[in-house]
C-alpha cells in the first residue's frame, strides 16, 4: 500500500479525533473530552465500567468542579454534584423536560406516557390529576384505611417469620430472603389504591412475579440510557447485550397485567360506585370522550400511570428496605438503639403506628442516613433543558441532558465530614432530637419531586419498626455480614440476600 496514502488516512483520523475531542458548546462546564461515536462515555466507562456515578465522582475530583459538562454520544450532558446546583435544576421551569429516548418510547409503546418519563402539558396535567385523585384513596397523605391494610400485611409477615404461617419463597430454614420479603406488602398497598384489589394472602408468587419484572426492567440500563439511548440502532445488532430484549420482555409482561385489570374495570364499570383510581379515571375518559380539543385522558395513559406507581413501589422501596436490613446486620449497635426506642414508645402489645413516628427520632434518623449513604437514585432521573439557558454562569444549550449527582452530593466529605460511615447521629441534635433541616435529597425536589415520597416514607417506617419490634436482624450463622454493594440500573437495586430474623422475647 502507498505509504503516503496510509499517512494521509492516519492524519485525517487524528484530525477527526482532535476535532471531536475539542468540540463543545461555547462556555460549557468543564469535563472530559469526547471520542468518536459515544463521546465522553468511553472515558466514563474506562473510569468505572459498572457504576457510572462512581466514574462521575472521579471526574468531579479530576476537574475540581461541582458542575461537569461533556458529550454522551451527541447529547450535551451536565451533572450537578452540590446542593445549590441540584436544587436549581430541580426548580427552574426550563429544566423540567425529560429525555426523549428509545427506552422511554419502548416503555410507552411508542409514546412518552405516564408521569416519570413524560413532560410538557401532558405531564403537568396528569401528575396533578393523579396526585389529587390517588389521595382520595390514601396516597401521599395520612390514611387510616391504608395504614390498617399495611398493618395487616406486616402482621402477616411477622407471622411468616415466626413460623405461624408458611411461605417458603421468602422464609425457609430460619432465613428470610431480601428483597422478596417486601414485595407482597408494598404491592398490595399501592394496588389497593390504584386497582381496588390486593394480591391474595396465599398467592405471594403473583406479586413476586410482577416485582421481579419491574426489577429486571430497571436493571436493563442505567441513568444515562447507555449505548441503547445514544445509538438506538444497536438494538438491531445486539438486542440482548444492549438490554433492549430485557426491556421489551419485562415491559410486555407488566403492561399485560395492568391492561387486564383495566379491561376488567371497564367491563364492570358503574358510575354510582367508584372503587378505586382506575374507576375515577375511566369516568373522566368518558366525560372527555367528545372534547373537541382532544383529551389528556386515555386508556394508554392510565396504563402507564399504573406502571409508574407499581414499578416504582416494587423496585425503590424494596431496595431501600433491603439495604436498611443489610446495614443493620453491620451495625447491631444502631439496631439495639432503635429497639430501645420502640420498646419505650410502643412496647410489645401492638404494632407501631404512624402516631408513634414523631416520638422516635433515632429511628427516623437511621432511615434518613440509609437513604443518604445508599443514594439509590445515584444520578437522579435525567432532566432536559427545554430552551437555551445558563446555569451557574455556564451556557446550557436546548436539549442538554441534566443529571443530578445525588451519589456525589450525598458522599461529599465537605458536606458530611465522614460520608462513608453509617452514622444516624449526624441527623440528631445534642438532645437526640431530629435536626429541623434535612439536607439530603433522595427524592429530588421541586416540581419533579418524587410523587411517592410520603407513601414511601410512611410505609418504610411502618415495615421497619414492625420488623425491629419483633425481630433482631442477624447475619446467618457461620456467614459474614453481606457485602453492601448494589446492582446497577436506571436506579440502584439491592442484590438478593438472606438474613436471620431472631424473634425477640
Ligand atoms: C425510596 C424510595 C424512592 C426514592 C428514593 C425515589 C426517588 C425519586 C427521584 C430521585 C425521582 C426523580 C426526581 C427528579 O426528576 O428530579 C423520583 C421521581 C418519581 N417517583 Fe420516586 N422514589 C421513591 C419511591 C417512589 C414510589 C414508591 C413511587 C410511587 C408509588 C414513586 C413515584 C415517582 C414518580 C411518579 C416520579 C416522577 C415525578 C415526576 O417526574 O414528576 N417513587 N423518585
Amino acid at each position: 500500500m502507498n505509504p503516503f496514502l496510509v499517512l494521509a488516512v492516519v492524519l485525517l483520523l487524528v484530525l477527526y479525533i482532535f476535532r471531536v475531542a475539542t468540540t463543545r458548546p461555547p462556555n460549557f462546564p468543564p469535563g472530559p473530552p469526547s471520542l468518536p461515536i459515544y463521546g465522553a462515555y468511553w472515558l466514563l466507562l474506562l473510569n468505572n465500567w459498572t457504576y457510572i456515578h462512581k466514574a462521575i465522582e472521579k471526574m468531579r475530583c479530576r476537574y475540581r468542579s461541582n458542575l461537569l459538562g461533556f458529550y454522551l454520544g451527541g447529547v450535551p450532558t451536565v451533572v450537578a454534584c452540590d446542593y445549590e446546583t441540584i436544587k436549581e435544576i430541580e426548580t427552574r421551569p426550563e429544566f423540567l423536560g425529560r429525555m426523549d429516548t428509545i427506552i422511554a418510547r419502548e416503555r410507552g409503546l411508542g409514546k412518552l406516557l405516564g408521569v416519570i418519563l413524560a413532560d410538557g402539558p401532558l405531564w403537568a396535567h396528569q401528575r396533578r390529576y393523579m396526585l389529587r385523585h390517588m389521595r382520595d384513596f390514601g396516597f401521599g397523605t395520612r390514611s387510616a384505611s391504608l395504614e390498617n391494610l399495611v398493618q395487616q400485611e406486616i402482621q402477616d409477615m411477622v407471622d411468616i417469620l415466626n413460623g405461624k404461617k408458611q411461605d417458603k419463597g421468602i422464609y425457609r430454614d430460619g432465613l428470610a430472603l431480601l428483597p422478596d420479603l417486601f414485595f407482597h406488602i408494598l404491592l398490595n398497598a399501592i394496588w389497593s389504591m390504584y386497582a381496588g384489589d390486593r394480591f391474595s394472602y396465599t398467592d405471594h408468587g403473583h406479586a413476586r412475579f410482577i416485582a421481579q419484572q419491574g426489577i429486571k426492567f430497571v436493571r436493563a440500563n442505567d441513568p444515562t440510557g447507555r449505548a441503547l439511548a445514544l445509538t438506538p440502532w444497536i438494538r438491531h445488532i445486539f438486542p440482548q447485550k444492549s438490554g433492549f430484549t430485557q426491556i421489551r420482555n419485562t415491559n410486555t409482561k407488566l403492561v399485560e397485567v395492568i391492561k387486564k385489570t383495566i379491561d376488567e374495570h371497564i367491563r364492570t364499570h358503574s358510575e354510582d360506585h367508584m372503587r378505586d383510581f382506575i374507576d375515577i379515571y375511566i369516568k373522566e375518559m368518558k366525560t372527555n370522550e367528545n372534547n373537541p380539543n382532544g383529551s389528556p385522558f386515555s386508556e394508554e395513559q392510565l396504563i402507564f400511570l399504573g406502571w409508574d406507581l407499581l414499578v416504582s413501589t416494587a423496585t425503590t422501596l424494596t431496595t431501600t428496605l433491603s439495604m436498611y436490613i443489610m446495614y443493620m446486620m453491620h451495625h447491631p449497635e444502631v439496631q439495639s438503639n432503635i429497639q430501645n426506642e420502640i420498646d419505650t414508645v410502643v412496647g410489645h402489645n401492638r404494632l407501631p403506628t404512624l402516631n408513634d413516628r414523631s416520638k422516635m427520632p433515632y429511628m427516623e434518623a437511621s432511615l434518613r442516613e440509609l437513604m443518604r449513604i445508599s443514594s439509590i437514585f445515584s444520578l437522579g432521573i435525567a432532566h432536559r433543558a427545554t430552551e437555551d439557558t445558563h446555569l451557574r454562569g455556564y451556557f446550557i444549550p436546548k436539549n442538554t441532558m441534566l443529571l443530578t449527582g445525588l451519589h456525589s452530593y450525598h458522599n461529599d466529605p465537605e458536606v458530611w465530614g465522614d460520608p462513608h460511615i453509617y452514622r444516624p447521629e449526624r441527623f440528631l441534635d445534642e438532645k437526640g432530637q431530629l435536626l429541623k433541616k434535612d439536607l439530603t435529597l433522595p427524592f429530588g425536589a421541586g416540581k419533579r419531586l418524587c410523587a411517592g415520597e410520603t407513601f414511601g416514607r410512611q410505609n418504610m417506617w411502618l415495615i421497619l419498626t414492625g420488623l425491629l419490634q419483633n425481630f433482631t436482624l442477624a447475619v446467618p450463622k457461620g456467614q459474614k455480614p453481606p457485602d453492601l454493594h448494589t446492582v446497577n440500573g436506571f436506579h440502584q437495586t439491592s442484590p438478593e440476600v438472606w438474613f436471620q430474623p431472631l424473634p425477640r422475647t
Side-chain angles (χ1 to χ4, degrees), residues 145-369:
S145 62
L146 179 64
E147 190 169 342
N148 201 15
L149 179 145
V150 172
Q151 286 205 318
Q152 284 173 34
E153 297 285 349
I154 292 172
Q155 190 57 56
D156 194 34
M157 173 184 71
V158 169
D159 288 347
I160 289 172
L161 299 183
N162 269 326
K164 289 186 190 151
K165 287 186 180 168
Q166 224 189 41
D167 182 350
K168 292 202 164 168
I170 52 177
Y171 180 69
R172 57 177 183 266
D173 305 327
L175 301 183
L177 178 62
L178 300 173
D180 299 37
L181 181 62
F182 305 117
F183 289 155
H184 196 253
I185 306 179
L186 289 162
L187 288 195
N188 271 349
I190 197 73
W191 205 237
S192 69
M193 295 179 280
Y194 175 77
D197 199 6
R198 57 206 274 186
F199 305 102
S200 94
Y201 280 121
T202 48
D203 190 11
H204 286 202
H206 187 46
R208 216 170 296 147
F209 169 80
I210 296 170
Q212 277 159 358
Q213 301 314 306
I215 290 178
K216 280 188 197 161
F217 182 97
V218 165
R219 288 181 179 168
N221 207 281
D222 81 9
T224 63
R226 276 194 196 147
L228 181 57
L230 304 178
T231 46
W233 45 264
I234 65 156
R235 70 189 185 284
H236 301 301
I237 307 167
F238 303 115
Q240 306 275 353
K241 267 214 150 19
S242 65
F244 183 74
T245 307
Q246 193 164 321
I247 287 174
R248 175 162 281 183
N249 290 349
T250 51
N251 193 46
T252 306
K253 288 177 193 145
L254 288 163
V255 169
E256 205 174 279
V257 169
I258 302 169
K259 186 163 174 7
K260 199 167 146 211
T261 308
I262 295 174
D263 288 346
E264 180 61 20
H265 274 69
I266 293 175
R267 214 176 50 76
T268 55
H269 190 69
S270 155
E271 294 271 309
D272 308 325
H273 179 45
M274 294 290 108
R275 296 163 291 187
D276 46 49
F277 180 78
I278 296 181
D279 269 350
I280 291 187
Y281 200 94
I282 292 172
K283 189 173 172 196
E284 205 76 58
M285 273 161 51
K286 290 188 175 183
T287 312
N288 284 272
E289 216 159 39
N290 299 319
N291 188 334
N293 303 320
S295 164
F297 299 99
S298 64
E299 190 179 335
E300 50 189 10
Q301 177 60 14
L302 177 56
I303 292 176
F304 289 100
L305 290 178
W307 196 109
D308 284 352
L309 295 169
L310 196 64
V311 175
S312 300
T313 301
T315 60
T316 61
L317 298 181
T318 57
T319 288
T320 307
L321 292 171
S322 302
M323 295 306 296
Y324 187 95
I325 294 180
M326 285 158 70
Y327 271 84
M328 287 305 116
M329 289 196 250
H330 282 260
H331 294 276
E333 75 291 355
V334 172
Q335 206 175 151
S336 92
N337 286 346
I338 298 168
Q339 285 172 332
N340 287 340
E341 199 173 55
I342 296 174
D343 294 351
T344 311
V345 175
V346 185
H348 284 269
N349 297 327
R350 61 170 177 86
L351 283 171
T353 74
L354 291 173
N355 284 335
D356 304 314
R357 193 170 160 200
S358 61
K359 294 171 227 151
M360 292 167 60
Y362 192 87
M363 172 65 214
E364 198 70 33
S366 72
L367 187 50
R368 212 178 257 190
E369 173 69 340

Side-chain angles (χ1 to χ4, degrees), residues 90 98 115-116 123 127 139 190 308-309 312-313 316-317 320 371 376-377 380-381 383 406 442-444 447-452 455 460:
E90 299 278 16
R98 288 285 195 222
V115 172
I116 300 179
W123 160 72
R127 178 181 161 115
F139 185 72
I190 197 73
D308 284 352
L309 295 169
S312 300
T313 301
T316 61
L317 298 181
T320 307
M371 286 194 271
I376 64 168
F377 279 84
I381 300 176
H383 289 221
L406 297 178
F443 295 94
K447 288 225 158 62
R448 284 274 184 188
L449 172 71
C450 171
F455 171 77
M460 289 193 295

Side-chain angles (χ1 to χ4, degrees), residues 13 53 64 71 98 118 123 156 169 198 205 304 309 382 388 408 412 431 458 477 479 504:
L13 206 67
H53 58 271
R64 295 182 188 182
Y71 269 103
R98 288 285 195 222
W123 160 72
D156 194 34
R198 57 206 274 186
F304 289 100
L309 295 169
D388 284 353
S408 289
D412 185 348
K431 291 190 185 134
Q458 287 178 348
K477 267 210 179 78
Q479 291 185 21
R504 295 182 70 213

